[in-house]
Amino acid sequence: GDKVKQSPSALSLQEGTNSALRCNFSIAATTVQWFLQNPRGSLMNLFYLVPGTKENGRLKSAFDSKESYSTLHIRDAQLEDSGTYFCAAERSGSFNKLTFGAGTRLAVCP
Amino acid sequence: EAGVTQSPRYAVLQEGQAVSFWCDPISGHDTLYWYQQPRDQGPQLLVYFRDEAVIDNSQLPSDRFSAVRPKGTNSTLKIQSAKQGDTATYLCASSFDSNQDTQYFGPGTRLLVL
């Protein structure tokens, strides 16, 4: 089965609303990275997480290694937040080798 | 600071042809990664290097794919005798080191094999 499972697979939001994306891991993840791939295909790093929480502007992310999941919260969604969000997990002892999920496609509408 | 650069941005081949992709990582980053991203999927790691040494190439189809990083800076990924199933975006990334560090991605090369 999927080692990194993302949900939902697709999402549509009204501008100004909030949402949460989730990753569940079936591997022992030690760190998690979240990326946004814009419509042109560029992958931008949003967060690098050890177990705990980080916040950056309207984005907040948490990683719970014991319960094997991570979340990404988007507050006050804007049109430029549209794209595909990927989470990727590093397995213990794998020297920064990342396993990616299949992504969540987000469309923010006016 | 310049980001990760890749070339070419696009390539179109007939089956059986060869192609090379080139990557220049962020200056000072000792670890370099090559990923394959099929359409509508997440990136999948093919091979990665620390300096000039391969750390892991277990997911690289060794019969047709090869990757080198001879001076520990730029890297080349080559596909001999491309197949239609190789159609994907090939992404290069780099990180400061291979010990739990943020990965920074280049813009990718979109490959179409006809």
Side-chain angles (χ1 to χ4, degrees), chain B residues 3 5 10 12 14 26 28-29 31 36 40 49 51 66 70 75 79 86 93 99 102 108:
Chain B
T5 56
Y10 303 92
V12 181
Q14 297 290 334
I26 293 172
H29 282 194
T31 307
Q36 181 190 61
D40 296 330
F49 298 84
D51 298 320
S66 62
S75 177
I79 307 176
D86 299 332
N99 185 25
T102 300

Side-chain angles (χ1 to χ4, degrees), chain B:
Chain B
E1 181 184 88
V4 177
T5 56
Q6 292 185 246
S7 65
R9 293 298 312 277
Y10 303 92
V12 181
L13 305 175
Q14 297 290 334
E15 269 199 324
Q17 289 186 307
V19 64
S20 291
F21 310 131
W22 181 82
C23 175
D24 188 5
I26 293 172
S27 178
H29 282 194
D30 71 6
T31 307
L32 184 148
Y33 312 78
W34 283 103
Y35 290 85
Q36 181 190 61
Q37 186 179 18
R39 187 177 176 85
D40 296 330
Q41 296 185 34
Q44 298 155 16
L45 183 68
L46 293 173
V47 59
Y48 69 124
F49 298 84
R50 182 171 188 171
D51 298 320
E52 66 278 4
V54 173
I55 299 178
D56 188 331
N57 62 359
S58 59
Q59 301 305 308
L60 194 68
S62 57
D63 57 333
R64 295 183 302 108
F65 285 65
S66 62
V68 294
R69 194 185 183 200
K71 297 182 180 178
T73 51
N74 302 335
S75 177
T76 303
L77 175 69
K78 185 173 183 178
I79 307 176
Q80 301 267 28
S81 190
K83 297 182 179 180
Q84 287 186 352
D86 299 332
T87 293
T89 298
Y90 290 83
L91 296 163
C92 178
S94 69
S95 64
F96 183 71
D97 63 33
S98 57
N99 185 25
Q100 296 190 337
D101 196 25
T102 300
Q103 293 186 24
Y104 296 90
F105 281 78
T109 298
R110 295 189 181 187
L111 174 66
L112 174 61
V113 183
L114 301 173

Side-chain angles (χ1 to χ4, degrees), chain A residues 2 36 40 43-44 59 63 67:
Chain A
D2 293 348
L36 169 59
R40 290 173 54 202
L43 265 169
M44 296 178 293
L59 301 181
F63 170 36
E67 298 297 324

